[in-house]
PDB file of all heavy atoms in Angstrom:
ATOM      1  N   GLN X 277      59.865  31.256  57.978  1.00 96.00           N
ATOM      2  CA  GLN X 277      60.220  30.330  59.122  1.00 96.00           C
ATOM      3  C   GLN X 277      59.374  29.058  59.045  1.00 96.00           C
ATOM      4  O   GLN X 277      59.925  27.938  59.240  1.00 96.00           O
ATOM      5  CB  GLN X 277      60.035  31.025  60.409  1.00 96.00           C
ATOM      6  CG  GLN X 277      61.239  31.880  60.780  1.00 96.00           C
ATOM      7  CD  GLN X 277      61.033  32.552  62.161  1.00 96.00           C
ATOM      8  OE1 GLN X 277      60.092  33.250  62.385  1.00 96.00           O
ATOM      9  NE2 GLN X 277      61.873  32.247  63.137  1.00 96.00           N
ATOM     10  N   LEU X 278      58.043  29.264  58.859  1.00 96.00           N
ATOM     11  CA  LEU X 278      57.180  28.061  58.851  1.00 96.00           C
ATOM     12  C   LEU X 278      57.574  27.157  57.760  1.00 96.00           C
ATOM     13  O   LEU X 278      57.542  25.919  57.835  1.00 96.00           O
ATOM     14  CB  LEU X 278      55.805  28.532  58.585  1.00 96.00           C
ATOM     15  CG  LEU X 278      54.775  27.464  58.695  1.00 96.00           C
ATOM     16  CD1 LEU X 278      54.482  26.986  60.144  1.00 96.00           C
ATOM     17  CD2 LEU X 278      53.350  27.883  58.151  1.00 96.00           C
ATOM     18  N   LEU X 279      58.081  27.628  56.708  1.00 97.00           N
ATOM     19  CA  LEU X 279      58.474  26.841  55.473  1.00 97.00           C
ATOM     20  C   LEU X 279      59.926  26.268  55.646  1.00 97.00           C
ATOM     21  O   LEU X 279      60.511  25.706  54.722  1.00 97.00           O
ATOM     22  CB  LEU X 279      58.510  27.591  54.192  1.00 97.00           C
ATOM     23  CG  LEU X 279      57.091  27.618  53.541  1.00 97.00           C
ATOM     24  CD1 LEU X 279      55.970  28.110  54.289  1.00 97.00           C
ATOM     25  CD2 LEU X 279      57.132  28.458  52.121  1.00 97.00           C
ATOM     26  N   GLY X 280      60.520  26.622  56.830  1.00 96.00           N
ATOM     27  CA  GLY X 280      61.836  25.971  57.051  1.00 96.00           C
ATOM     28  C   GLY X 280      63.024  26.723  56.428  1.00 96.00           C
ATOM     29  O   GLY X 280      64.096  26.328  56.413  1.00 96.00           O
ATOM     30  N   CYS X 281      62.792  28.052  56.033  1.00 97.00           N
ATOM     31  CA  CYS X 281      63.840  28.767  55.377  1.00 97.00           C
ATOM     32  C   CYS X 281      64.919  29.195  56.500  1.00 97.00           C
ATOM     33  O   CYS X 281      64.462  29.562  57.625  1.00 97.00           O
ATOM     34  CB  CYS X 281      63.364  30.052  54.817  1.00 97.00           C
ATOM     35  SG  CYS X 281      62.201  29.759  53.510  1.00 97.00           S
ATOM     36  N   GLN X 282      66.212  29.091  56.205  1.00 97.00           N
ATOM     37  CA  GLN X 282      67.176  29.476  57.201  1.00 97.00           C
ATOM     38  C   GLN X 282      67.182  30.951  57.446  1.00 97.00           C
ATOM     39  O   GLN X 282      67.039  31.770  56.591  1.00 97.00           O
ATOM     40  CB  GLN X 282      68.550  29.082  56.665  1.00 97.00           C
ATOM     41  CG  GLN X 282      69.529  28.962  57.778  1.00 97.00           C
ATOM     42  CD  GLN X 282      70.931  28.642  57.248  1.00 97.00           C
ATOM     43  OE1 GLN X 282      71.051  28.104  56.122  1.00 97.00           O
ATOM     44  NE2 GLN X 282      71.944  28.851  58.004  1.00 97.00           N
ATOM     45  N   ILE X 283      67.194  31.403  58.700  1.00 96.00           N
ATOM     46  CA  ILE X 283      67.156  32.715  59.178  1.00 96.00           C
ATOM     47  C   ILE X 283      68.430  33.119  59.869  1.00 96.00           C
ATOM     48  O   ILE X 283      68.994  32.276  60.605  1.00 96.00           O
ATOM     49  CB  ILE X 283      66.012  33.055  60.222  1.00 96.00           C
ATOM     50  CG1 ILE X 283      64.692  32.369  59.776  1.00 96.00           C
ATOM     51  CG2 ILE X 283      65.892  34.411  60.592  1.00 96.00           C
ATOM     52  CD1 ILE X 283      64.045  33.120  58.581  1.00 96.00           C
ATOM     53  N   ARG X 284      69.070  34.222  59.500  1.00 95.00           N
ATOM     54  CA  ARG X 284      70.311  34.760  60.188  1.00 95.00           C
ATOM     55  C   ARG X 284      70.090  36.181  60.601  1.00 95.00           C
ATOM     56  O   ARG X 284      69.611  36.894  59.762  1.00 95.00           O
ATOM     57  CB  ARG X 284      71.508  34.548  59.255  1.00 95.00           C
ATOM     58  CG  ARG X 284      72.760  34.646  60.145  1.00 95.00           C
ATOM     59  CD  ARG X 284      74.059  34.653  59.412  1.00 95.00           C
ATOM     60  NE  ARG X 284      74.195  33.479  58.558  1.00 95.00           N
ATOM     61  CZ  ARG X 284      74.840  33.468  57.293  1.00 95.00           C
ATOM     62  NH1 ARG X 284      75.444  34.564  56.907  1.00 95.00           N
ATOM     63  NH2 ARG X 284      74.904  32.402  56.548  1.00 95.00           N
ATOM     64  N   SER X 285      70.407  36.387  61.761  1.00 93.00           N
ATOM     65  CA  SER X 285      70.271  37.758  62.458  1.00 93.00           C
ATOM     66  C   SER X 285      68.840  38.401  62.155  1.00 93.00           C
ATOM     67  O   SER X 285      68.732  39.591  61.673  1.00 93.00           O
ATOM     68  CB  SER X 285      71.335  38.736  61.934  1.00 93.00           C
ATOM     69  OG  SER X 285      72.648  38.209  62.174  1.00 93.00           O
ATOM     70  N   GLY X 286      67.862  37.549  62.125  1.00 94.00           N
ATOM     71  CA  GLY X 286      66.474  38.051  61.899  1.00 94.00           C
ATOM     72  C   GLY X 286      66.080  38.151  60.460  1.00 94.00           C
ATOM     73  O   GLY X 286      64.911  38.605  60.163  1.00 94.00           O
ATOM     74  N   PHE X 287      66.917  37.815  59.465  1.00 97.00           N
ATOM     75  CA  PHE X 287      66.483  37.956  58.088  1.00 97.00           C
ATOM     76  C   PHE X 287      66.639  36.565  57.328  1.00 97.00           C
ATOM     77  O   PHE X 287      67.436  35.756  57.738  1.00 97.00           O
ATOM     78  CB  PHE X 287      67.428  38.986  57.349  1.00 97.00           C
ATOM     79  CG  PHE X 287      67.305  40.331  57.833  1.00 97.00           C
ATOM     80  CD1 PHE X 287      68.124  40.883  58.834  1.00 97.00           C
ATOM     81  CD2 PHE X 287      66.247  41.099  57.233  1.00 97.00           C
ATOM     82  CE1 PHE X 287      67.944  42.233  59.226  1.00 97.00           C
ATOM     83  CE2 PHE X 287      66.057  42.393  57.774  1.00 97.00           C
ATOM     84  CZ  PHE X 287      66.821  43.032  58.709  1.00 97.00           C
ATOM     85  N   VAL X 288      65.816  36.405  56.298  1.00 98.00           N
ATOM     86  CA  VAL X 288      65.894  35.215  55.573  1.00 98.00           C
ATOM     87  C   VAL X 288      67.163  35.137  54.699  1.00 98.00           C
ATOM     88  O   VAL X 288      67.531  36.107  54.095  1.00 98.00           O
ATOM     89  CB  VAL X 288      64.671  35.122  54.549  1.00 98.00           C
ATOM     90  CG1 VAL X 288      64.621  33.924  53.713  1.00 98.00           C
ATOM     91  CG2 VAL X 288      63.318  35.197  55.316  1.00 98.00           C
ATOM     92  N   GLN X 289      67.959  34.070  54.801  1.00 98.00           N
ATOM     93  CA  GLN X 289      69.107  33.852  54.063  1.00 98.00           C
ATOM     94  C   GLN X 289      68.785  33.442  52.710  1.00 98.00           C
ATOM     95  O   GLN X 289      68.082  32.454  52.440  1.00 98.00           O
ATOM     96  CB  GLN X 289      69.966  32.714  54.723  1.00 98.00           C
ATOM     97  CG  GLN X 289      70.549  33.119  55.994  1.00 98.00           C
ATOM     98  CD  GLN X 289      71.385  34.396  55.840  1.00 98.00           C
ATOM     99  OE1 GLN X 289      72.451  34.365  55.295  1.00 98.00           O
ATOM    100  NE2 GLN X 289      70.972  35.531  56.329  1.00 98.00           N
ATOM    101  N   VAL X 290      69.449  34.159  51.609  1.00 98.00           N
ATOM    102  CA  VAL X 290      69.231  33.761  50.254  1.00 98.00           C
ATOM    103  C   VAL X 290      70.558  33.676  49.547  1.00 98.00           C
ATOM    104  O   VAL X 290      71.456  34.289  49.973  1.00 98.00           O
ATOM    105  CB  VAL X 290      68.320  34.776  49.516  1.00 98.00           C
ATOM    106  CG1 VAL X 290      66.856  34.650  49.953  1.00 98.00           C
ATOM    107  CG2 VAL X 290      68.767  36.175  49.707  1.00 98.00           C
ATOM    108  N   ASP X 291      70.647  33.005  48.425  1.00 98.00           N
ATOM    109  CA  ASP X 291      71.829  32.977  47.583  1.00 98.00           C
ATOM    110  C   ASP X 291      71.723  34.080  46.592  1.00 98.00           C
ATOM    111  O   ASP X 291      70.804  34.785  46.697  1.00 98.00           O
ATOM    112  CB  ASP X 291      72.055  31.606  46.997  1.00 98.00           C
ATOM    113  CG  ASP X 291      71.096  31.196  45.986  1.00 98.00           C
ATOM    114  OD1 ASP X 291      70.245  32.063  45.657  1.00 98.00           O
ATOM    115  OD2 ASP X 291      71.064  30.029  45.515  1.00 98.00           O
ATOM    116  N   ASN X 292      72.700  34.088  45.756  1.00 98.00           N
ATOM    117  CA  ASN X 292      72.700  35.203  44.650  1.00 98.00           C
ATOM    118  C   ASN X 292      71.435  35.299  43.823  1.00 98.00           C
ATOM    119  O   ASN X 292      71.039  36.343  43.272  1.00 98.00           O
ATOM    120  CB  ASN X 292      73.871  34.894  43.685  1.00 98.00           C
ATOM    121  CG  ASN X 292      75.017  35.684  44.150  1.00 98.00           C
ATOM    122  OD1 ASN X 292      74.936  36.720  44.755  1.00 98.00           O
ATOM    123  ND2 ASN X 292      76.191  35.317  43.665  1.00 98.00           N
ATOM    124  N   LEU X 293      70.744  34.104  43.692  1.00 98.00           N
ATOM    125  CA  LEU X 293      69.478  34.121  42.869  1.00 98.00           C
ATOM    126  C   LEU X 293      68.230  34.287  43.745  1.00 98.00           C
ATOM    127  O   LEU X 293      67.097  33.906  43.302  1.00 98.00           O
ATOM    128  CB  LEU X 293      69.466  32.910  42.001  1.00 98.00           C
ATOM    129  CG  LEU X 293      70.512  32.787  40.848  1.00 98.00           C
ATOM    130  CD1 LEU X 293      70.552  31.418  40.314  1.00 98.00           C
ATOM    131  CD2 LEU X 293      70.197  33.978  39.846  1.00 98.00           C
ATOM    132  N   GLN X 294      68.459  34.705  44.997  1.00 98.00           N
ATOM    133  CA  GLN X 294      67.364  34.856  45.873  1.00 98.00           C
ATOM    134  C   GLN X 294      66.700  33.552  46.312  1.00 98.00           C
ATOM    135  O   GLN X 294      65.598  33.478  46.866  1.00 98.00           O
ATOM    136  CB  GLN X 294      66.288  35.850  45.425  1.00 98.00           C
ATOM    137  CG  GLN X 294      66.728  37.187  44.968  1.00 98.00           C
ATOM    138  CD  GLN X 294      67.302  38.085  46.037  1.00 98.00           C
ATOM    139  OE1 GLN X 294      68.239  38.729  45.930  1.00 98.00           O
ATOM    140  NE2 GLN X 294      66.631  38.114  47.151  1.00 98.00           N
ATOM    141  N   GLN X 295      67.393  32.469  46.140  1.00 98.00           N
ATOM    142  CA  GLN X 295      66.954  31.131  46.549  1.00 98.00           C
ATOM    143  C   GLN X 295      67.141  30.920  48.016  1.00 98.00           C
ATOM    144  O   GLN X 295      68.264  31.257  48.518  1.00 98.00           O
ATOM    145  CB  GLN X 295      67.589  30.038  45.703  1.00 98.00           C
ATOM    146  CG  GLN X 295      67.509  28.639  46.252  1.00 98.00           C
ATOM    147  CD  GLN X 295      66.471  27.851  45.686  1.00 98.00           C
ATOM    148  OE1 GLN X 295      66.236  27.819  44.442  1.00 98.00           O
ATOM    149  NE2 GLN X 295      65.760  27.170  46.515  1.00 98.00           N
ATOM    150  N   THR X 296      66.192  30.501  48.818  1.00 98.00           N
ATOM    151  CA  THR X 296      66.334  30.198  50.190  1.00 98.00           C
ATOM    152  C   THR X 296      66.969  28.868  50.374  1.00 98.00           C
ATOM    153  O   THR X 296      67.201  28.104  49.435  1.00 98.00           O
ATOM    154  CB  THR X 296      65.043  30.298  50.977  1.00 98.00           C
ATOM    155  OG1 THR X 296      64.266  29.262  50.615  1.00 98.00           O
ATOM    156  CG2 THR X 296      64.245  31.546  50.650  1.00 98.00           C
ATOM    157  N   SER X 297      67.107  28.437  51.657  1.00 98.00           N
ATOM    158  CA  SER X 297      67.575  27.109  52.037  1.00 98.00           C
ATOM    159  C   SER X 297      66.589  26.119  51.744  1.00 98.00           C
ATOM    160  O   SER X 297      66.844  24.873  51.684  1.00 98.00           O
ATOM    161  CB  SER X 297      68.115  26.954  53.449  1.00 98.00           C
ATOM    162  OG  SER X 297      67.026  27.353  54.304  1.00 98.00           O
ATOM    163  N   SER X 298      65.337  26.433  51.522  1.00 97.00           N
ATOM    164  CA  SER X 298      64.184  25.453  51.181  1.00 97.00           C
ATOM    165  C   SER X 298      64.177  25.236  49.695  1.00 97.00           C
ATOM    166  O   SER X 298      64.162  26.295  48.963  1.00 97.00           O
ATOM    167  CB  SER X 298      62.969  25.868  51.686  1.00 97.00           C
ATOM    168  OG  SER X 298      63.031  25.939  53.182  1.00 97.00           O
ATOM    169  N   ALA X 299      64.036  24.056  49.285  1.00 96.00           N
ATOM    170  CA  ALA X 299      64.003  23.863  47.853  1.00 96.00           C
ATOM    171  C   ALA X 299      62.877  24.543  47.205  1.00 96.00           C
ATOM    172  O   ALA X 299      61.748  24.500  47.668  1.00 96.00           O
ATOM    173  CB  ALA X 299      63.904  22.288  47.695  1.00 96.00           C
TER     174      ALA X 299
END
Side-chain angles (χ1 to χ4, degrees):
Q277 273 181 300
L278 184 74
L279 270 58
C281 302
Q282 200 181 341
I283 309 291
R284 195 183 308 148
S285 306
F287 292 97
V288 177
Q289 288 302 290
V290 286
D291 67 10
N292 263 340
L293 292 169
Q294 302 295 139
Q295 161 94 47
T296 70
S297 59
S298 298

